[in-house]
Amino acid sequence: SEVPAFMDEIYCIEKIKPPVVDGCNWYLSENSPDNYDMTVSDDDDDETPEPPFDVSLVRAGSRLGWRWSWKGDFINAAPGEPNFEHVSCEVNWLDPEPKKDSSDYELYVLELKQIEKEINFFKGFHEPPTAERYEQLCRDWDWEHKRKHKRPDQPRFF
């Protein structure tokens, strides 16, 4: 994938004259060999996010990075369940973490907490998972979700 090299170039532009590209998003081409069919289940209740094929800059305080993400519409999550309105992979940081005694550190920590809330379904991934790994993540999440929300009157099988 050429995305890391592309984002390094964007980083150089952003460092010269910020915020030139703030708010810009990029998308994996449908023709990319890394893109794959997003249909995992025919289940109407399937609330797993699509693969994270969007790329955007991330800013926490003065620290700049980028990430793969997906913006969806699953906003009615059950209490304690992930809200898949926006999910992302881990951030690929381009700047070092600010020093704890810097004037920017408190803002960095505050904004980092918000960023980390969006890293749930793809936690541990710095790039989109392969199609096979994505399908496994969806099956695992679906199984765990159904197990947690099984109605008491449904029979239990062991």
Coordinates of all heavy atoms in Angstrom, one line a residue, residues 8 11-12 14-15 58-66 91-98 104 108:
D8 N 3.2 10.5 4.7 CA 4.4 11.2 5.0 C 4.6 12.5 4.2 O 5.0 13.5 4.8 CB 5.6 10.3 4.8 CG 5.8 9.2 5.8 OD1 5.2 9.3 6.9 OD2 6.5 8.2 5.5
Y11 N 2.2 15.0 5.7 CA 2.8 15.4 6.9 C 3.8 16.6 6.6 O 3.8 17.6 7.3 CB 3.5 14.3 7.6 CG 4.2 14.7 8.9 CD1 3.5 15.0 10.0 CD2 5.6 14.6 8.9 CE1 4.2 15.4 11.2 CE2 6.3 14.9 10.1 CZ 5.6 15.3 11.2 OH 6.3 15.6 12.4
C12 N 4.6 16.4 5.6 CA 5.6 17.5 5.3 C 4.9 18.7 4.9 O 5.3 19.8 5.3 CB 6.5 17.0 4.2 SG 7.7 15.7 4.7
E14 N 1.9 19.6 5.8 CA 1.2 20.2 7.0 C 2.2 20.9 7.9 O 1.8 21.8 8.6 CB 0.5 19.0 7.7 CG -0.4 19.4 8.8 CD -1.7 20.2 8.4 OE1 -2.0 20.2 7.2 OE2 -2.3 20.8 9.2
K15 N 3.4 20.4 8.0 CA 4.4 21.0 8.9 C 4.9 22.3 8.3 O 5.2 23.2 9.1 CB 5.6 20.1 9.1 CG 5.3 18.9 10.0 CD 5.0 19.5 11.4 CE 4.7 18.5 12.4 NZ 4.4 19.1 13.7
V58 N -5.2 12.9 12.0 CA -5.7 12.9 13.4 C -4.8 13.9 14.1 O -3.6 13.9 14.0 CB -5.6 11.5 14.0 CG1 -6.0 11.6 15.5 CG2 -6.5 10.6 13.2
R59 N -5.4 14.8 14.9 CA -4.6 15.7 15.7 C -5.1 15.6 17.2 O -6.3 15.7 17.5 CB -4.9 17.1 15.2 CG -3.9 18.2 15.7 CD -4.2 19.5 15.1 NE -4.1 19.6 13.7 CZ -2.9 19.8 13.0 NH1 -1.8 20.0 13.7 NH2 -2.9 19.8 11.7
A60 N -4.1 15.4 18.0 CA -4.3 15.5 19.5 C -3.3 16.5 20.0 O -2.1 16.3 20.1 CB -4.1 14.1 20.1
G61 N -3.9 17.7 20.4 CA -3.0 18.8 20.8 C -2.2 19.1 19.6 O -2.7 19.3 18.5
S62 N -0.9 19.2 19.7 CA 0.0 19.5 18.6 C 0.5 18.2 17.9 O 1.2 18.3 16.9 CB 1.2 20.3 19.1 OG 2.0 19.5 20.0
R63 N 0.2 17.1 18.4 CA 0.6 15.8 17.8 C -0.2 15.4 16.6 O -1.5 15.4 16.7 CB 0.5 14.7 18.9 CG 1.3 13.4 18.4 CD 1.2 12.4 19.5 NE 2.1 11.3 19.2 CZ 2.1 10.1 19.8 NH1 1.3 9.9 20.8 NH2 3.0 9.2 19.4
L64 N 0.4 15.1 15.5 CA -0.3 14.8 14.3 C 0.0 13.3 13.9 O 1.1 12.8 14.1 CB 0.3 15.7 13.2 CG -0.5 15.7 11.8 CD1 -1.9 16.2 12.0 CD2 0.3 16.6 10.8
G65 N -1.1 12.7 13.4 CA -1.0 11.3 12.9 C -2.1 11.1 11.9 O -2.7 12.0 11.4
W66 N -2.2 9.8 11.5 CA -3.2 9.5 10.5 C -3.8 8.1 10.8 O -3.1 7.3 11.6 CB -2.7 9.6 9.1 CG -1.6 8.6 8.8 CD1 -0.3 8.8 9.0 CD2 -1.7 7.3 8.2 NE1 0.5 7.7 8.6 CE2 -0.4 6.8 8.1 CE3 -2.8 6.5 7.8 CZ2 -0.1 5.5 7.6 CZ3 -2.5 5.3 7.3 CH2 -1.2 4.8 7.2
V91 N -4.0 4.7 15.6 CA -3.4 5.9 14.9 C -1.9 5.6 14.6 O -1.2 5.1 15.4 CB -3.5 7.2 15.8 CG1 -2.8 8.3 15.2 CG2 -4.9 7.5 16.1
N92 N -1.5 6.0 13.4 CA -0.1 6.0 13.0 C 0.4 7.4 13.2 O 0.2 8.3 12.5 CB 0.0 5.6 11.5 CG -0.6 4.3 11.2 OD1 0.0 3.3 11.5 ND2 -1.8 4.2 10.6
W93 N 1.1 7.5 14.4 CA 1.5 8.9 14.8 C 2.8 9.3 14.0 O 3.7 8.5 13.8 CB 1.9 8.9 16.3 CG 0.6 8.7 17.1 CD1 0.3 7.7 17.9 CD2 -0.4 9.7 17.3 NE1 -0.9 7.9 18.5 CE2 -1.4 9.2 18.2 CE3 -0.6 11.0 16.8 CZ2 -2.5 9.8 18.5 CZ3 -1.7 11.7 17.2 CH2 -2.7 11.1 18.1
L94 N 2.8 10.5 13.6 CA 3.9 11.1 12.8 C 4.8 12.0 13.8 O 5.9 12.2 13.5 CB 3.4 12.0 11.7 CG 2.5 11.2 10.7 CD1 1.7 12.1 9.7 CD2 3.4 10.2 9.9
D95 N 4.2 12.5 14.8 CA 4.9 13.3 15.8 C 5.1 12.5 17.1 O 4.2 11.7 17.4 CB 4.1 14.6 16.1 CG 4.1 15.6 15.0 OD1 5.1 15.7 14.3 OD2 3.0 16.3 14.8
P96 N 6.1 12.9 17.9 CA 6.3 12.2 19.2 C 5.2 12.8 20.1 O 4.7 13.8 19.9 CB 7.7 12.6 19.6 CG 8.0 13.9 18.8 CD 7.2 13.8 17.5
E97 N 5.0 12.0 21.2 CA 4.1 12.5 22.2 C 4.7 13.7 22.9 O 5.9 13.8 23.2 CB 3.9 11.4 23.3 CG 2.9 11.7 24.4 CD 2.7 10.5 25.3 OE1 2.3 9.4 24.8 OE2 3.0 10.6 26.5
P98 N 3.8 14.7 23.2 CA 4.4 15.9 23.9 C 4.9 15.6 25.3 O 4.4 14.6 25.9 CB 3.2 16.9 24.0 CG 2.0 16.2 23.2 CD 2.4 14.8 22.9
D104 N 1.1 22.0 26.1 CA 0.2 21.3 25.2 C -0.3 20.0 25.8 O -1.2 19.4 25.3 CB 0.9 21.1 23.9 CG 0.0 20.4 22.8 OD1 -1.2 20.9 22.7 OD2 0.5 19.5 22.2
Y108 N -3.5 17.5 24.7 CA -3.2 16.3 24.1 C -3.9 15.1 24.7 O -4.5 14.3 24.1 CB -1.6 16.1 24.1 CG -1.2 14.7 23.8 CD1 -1.3 14.1 22.5 CD2 -0.7 13.8 24.8 CE1 -1.0 12.8 22.2 CE2 -0.4 12.5 24.5 CZ -0.5 12.0 23.2 OH -0.2 10.7 22.9

